[in-house]
Amino acid sequence: MENIIEVNNLKTSFFTPAGEVKVVNDVSFKLKKGEVLGIVGESGSGKSITVLSILKLLGNTGKIVGGQILIDGEDIVDKDNKYMSTIRGSKIGMIFQDPMTSLNPVFKIGYQLREPIMKHLKLSKSEANKKAIEMLNLVGIPDAKNRMNCFPHEFSGGMRQRVIIAMALACNPKLIIADEPTTALDVTIQAQVMELMKKFQKDLKSSIILITHDLGVVADLADNIMVMYSGSIMERGSVEHIFYNPKHPYTKGLLRSVPNPDELVKKRLIPIEGQPPNLLNPPKGCPFSPRCPHAMKICLVKKPETVCLEDNHEVRCWLVNKDMKMG
Ligand code: SF4
């Protein structure tokens, strides 16, 4: 099956007065039609910048300094903003964390939904209007026709996120990027929005990159999970590999720090001690070494290579290299 997106050795840096900050280091992954990839990690792990690199929304200081991003087999790394504006919304739909920052507060919802439909699907105003109402109905906005005339502030947070999902899906994109889509919502609304995403993923066979710091959110929706730390992939594998056979100390730490509703006896959650590294001056060896309870001498001086443990399960850790040599 063809890849919807293929990212090879992506490197993204921000150029600040204090120096170059390497935010994404050598990240590679592929996504096929209908697959869902969850990217997890703490704040500052590089997960959002990875997807902002795909969208080429890096502002004035960010730059892709290496690698390839193939969409439909075409490398978009050197494409200009004009070209990217034809891809964003049409080939790639986006759902961001806070719907209020994605919607323009001074335009009515109908206008904001209609414009990209007219642009990307080349429909007339009345056809686009019809499609916009259809999309609002699809995501469960009641009285969709009249709600087209409302401003974003007239919707609740959950309803705004539904509008964003309608916008993301309106032009039938091959890929949907959802960056912390439920973080700004309260718990019951989070569940509704995730249900909605699950439904669309199933019905439309959408390919989704789902970014979250919450492992519970990806467990339900993702096929594969990529665990990022300090701009690098620390572990990648199927949901089963990551949840039932995690190998990287950071993945294990993340899993220990989230509640498990299936456990009969509630255990104390164990946080990962310490802070993520300063990317202006990262550790020389493994970036997780200052926080890792298993750090060895080699971890302090040399960054581990990625090791493939089994089909679709990769880890970047000296501990695993050692076990493999001994085994
Ligand atoms: Fe810990 Fe060393 Fe593995 Fe890094 S490479 S996670 S410091 S054991």
Side-chain angles (χ1 to χ4, degrees):
M1 212 192 304
E2 75 186 78
N3 293 317
I4 295 290
I5 182 166
E6 183 174 338
V7 174
N8 296 317
N9 310 103
L10 178 68
K11 294 187 178 101
T12 301
S13 290
F14 282 82
F15 294 88
T16 70
E20 181 182 356
V21 185
K22 294 177 179 173
V23 187
V24 178
N25 299 308
D26 216 9
V27 163
S28 302
F29 62 88
K30 294 171 184 167
L31 194 65
K32 295 195 188 317
K33 184 173 167 57
E35 277 185 351
V36 180
L37 173 69
I39 308 183
V40 297
E42 293 164 291
S43 300
S45 60
K47 52 194 193 314
S48 290
I49 301 300
T50 300
V51 294
L52 289 175
S53 302
I54 294 169
L55 296 164
K56 297 194 73 181
L57 293 173
L58 295 168
N60 295 330
T61 52
K63 194 172 185 305
I64 297 172
V65 293
Q68 275 186 321
I69 301 169
L70 304 173
I71 294 182
D72 281 342
E74 189 175 16
D75 191 357
I76 58 156
V77 164
D78 293 323
K79 300 289 185 194
D80 59 14
N81 203 31
K82 193 172 163 208
Y83 177 87
M84 288 308 296
S85 67
T86 64
I87 285 194
R88 296 182 209 124
S90 62
K91 286 189 179 177
I92 309 175
M94 297 152 283
I95 303 168
F96 289 118
Q97 186 177 129
D98 181 0
M100 217 34 199
T101 54
S102 309
L103 292 168
N104 191 325
V106 299
F107 291 113
K108 290 178 179 171
I109 292 294
Y111 174 81
Q112 297 190 57
L113 265 166
R114 205 168 50 225
E115 284 302 293
I117 296 173
M118 286 168 69
K119 181 181 170 190
H120 295 303
L121 299 185
K122 309 269 180 281
L123 295 183
S124 67
K125 191 176 170 183
S126 65
E127 287 168 329
N129 225 34
K130 216 170 130 203
K131 172 95 182 162
I133 294 169
E134 207 180 283
M135 292 311 297
L136 287 182
N137 274 321
L138 206 66
V139 296
I141 303 274
D143 194 17
K145 197 172 173 190
N146 288 327
R147 298 295 266 166
M148 291 275 285
N149 291 317
C150 295
F151 289 94
H153 73 267
E154 295 176 79
F155 286 75
S156 67
M159 285 294 163
R160 281 196 290 261
Q161 198 59 308
R162 283 173 190 261
V163 172
I164 294 292
I165 294 174
M167 275 172 129
L169 296 170
C171 301
N172 315 318
K174 292 184 170 187
L175 173 67
I176 294 167
I177 291 180
D179 188 357
E180 305 269 12
T182 57
T183 303
L185 306 173
D186 61 48
V187 181
T188 46
I189 307 297
Q190 277 184 16
Q192 289 172 15
V193 169
M194 286 317 293
E195 274 308 311
L196 194 63
M197 288 191 59
K198 242 196 285 180
K199 180 182 177 307
F200 286 124
Q201 198 278 324
K202 208 164 149 238
D203 295 353
L204 307 176
K205 297 264 173 296
S206 316
S207 305
I208 301 178
I209 298 178
L210 173 65
I211 294 188
T212 177
H213 61 272
D214 184 347
L215 273 165
V217 169
V218 279
D220 229 14
L221 192 65
D223 299 294
N224 294 304
I225 298 178
M226 199 161 99
V227 180
M228 286 189 73
Y229 186 79
S230 188
S232 298
I233 301 170
M234 293 287 138
E235 184 161 4
R236 180 183 33 212
S238 66
V239 170
E240 289 74 25
H241 287 140
I242 299 298
F243 279 89
Y244 299 112
N245 191 23
K247 291 292 180 196
H248 198 283
Y250 180 59
T251 313
K252 291 179 186 175
L254 286 179
L255 287 166
R256 277 195 299 266
S257 59
V258 291
N260 180 355
D262 296 333
E263 265 173 7
L264 295 176
V265 181
K266 298 290 169 229
K267 291 188 200 147
R268 268 183 91 88
L269 297 179
I270 306 168
I272 303 172
E273 299 290 337
Q275 297 292 326
N278 175 358
L279 294 179
L280 254 178
N281 188 16
K284 194 170 169 222
C286 169
F288 190 55
S289 57
R291 305 170 75 186
C292 180
H294 309 286
M296 303 166 284
K297 268 187 197 162
I298 190 170
C299 307
L300 307 180
V301 289
K302 203 167 170 205
K303 192 172 175 178
E305 294 295 324
T306 300
V307 174
C308 184
L309 292 177
E310 53 197 311
D311 187 30
N312 195 25
H313 192 190
E314 293 175 357
V315 185
R316 188 189 279 271
C317 174
W318 285 119
L319 217 53
V320 175
N321 288 18
K322 201 174 93 188
D323 285 350
M324 283 183 80
K325 276 183 196 143
M326 285 168 75

